[in-house]
Amino acid sequence: MAFEKNHGTNLALIDVIDSIYKSLHSGRIVCGVFLDFQKTFDTVQHDILLNKWSNYGIRGVVQKWFHSYLYQRRQYTAIGKVNSSMAFVSRGIAQGSVLGPLLFLIYINDIKNACCDTSIKLFAEDANFFAEGDNESELSIKVNRILDNISLWCAANKLSLSPAKTCYSIF
């Protein structure tokens, strides 16, 4: 939903509020979990990203172009008048670039496959999901099962969540 014309935070907020109201109106308890990925743009693995492009049907010349974009980037560090030697970037995507947010969304788009019993919403480097249950015990089991699946997905994709910025809210 992020970065699409006419699909900003206002529409996402309306969608979330509507879902919460529907659940509460039917007598259920809702838990919203707000995930923040740690060092998102720095940890994207180029080989995993290109494999995902291939899975989405992007191959041939376009995939070669992105391969070149990812693998031929170099950087150095400058402190005062002292510069390090130039080195190739082995992972990560250029933060602040036009392509950065799109590449990251492609990288995490398949996280929805890890979220059974709920849909996950993606916006830039953040994600959230809402789960509902008839009681706190049922809800706790459901949320923890989803979080376990997300944890396995993160490990497979070499990403991690920021514990200090990941939170939940019970409605």
Side-chain angles (χ1 to χ4, degrees), residues 46 66-78 84-95:
H46 296 163
F66 277 101
H67 183 276
S68 174
Y69 174 79
L70 293 169
Y71 282 95
Q72 294 185 11
R73 287 190 11 245
R74 299 187 306 164
Q75 68 183 23
Y76 69 95
T77 302
S84 69
S85 58
M86 191 71 71
F88 282 99
V89 177
S90 61
R91 67 176 183 257
I93 48 180
Q95 192 169 358

Side-chain angles (χ1 to χ4, degrees), residues 10 31 93 97:
N10 291 346
C31 179
I93 48 180
S97 70

Side-chain angles (χ1 to χ4, degrees), residues 11-26:
L11 184 59
L13 186 57
I14 290 169
D15 183 48
V16 166
I17 291 171
D18 185 52
S19 295
I20 293 169
Y21 278 141
K22 284 180 183 176
S23 296
L24 294 176
H25 185 69
S26 66

Side-chain angles (χ1 to χ4, degrees), residues 91-107:
R91 67 176 183 257
I93 48 180
Q95 192 169 358
S97 70
V98 174
L99 288 175
L102 174 65
L103 293 175
F104 184 71
L105 284 174
I106 290 168
Y107 195 77

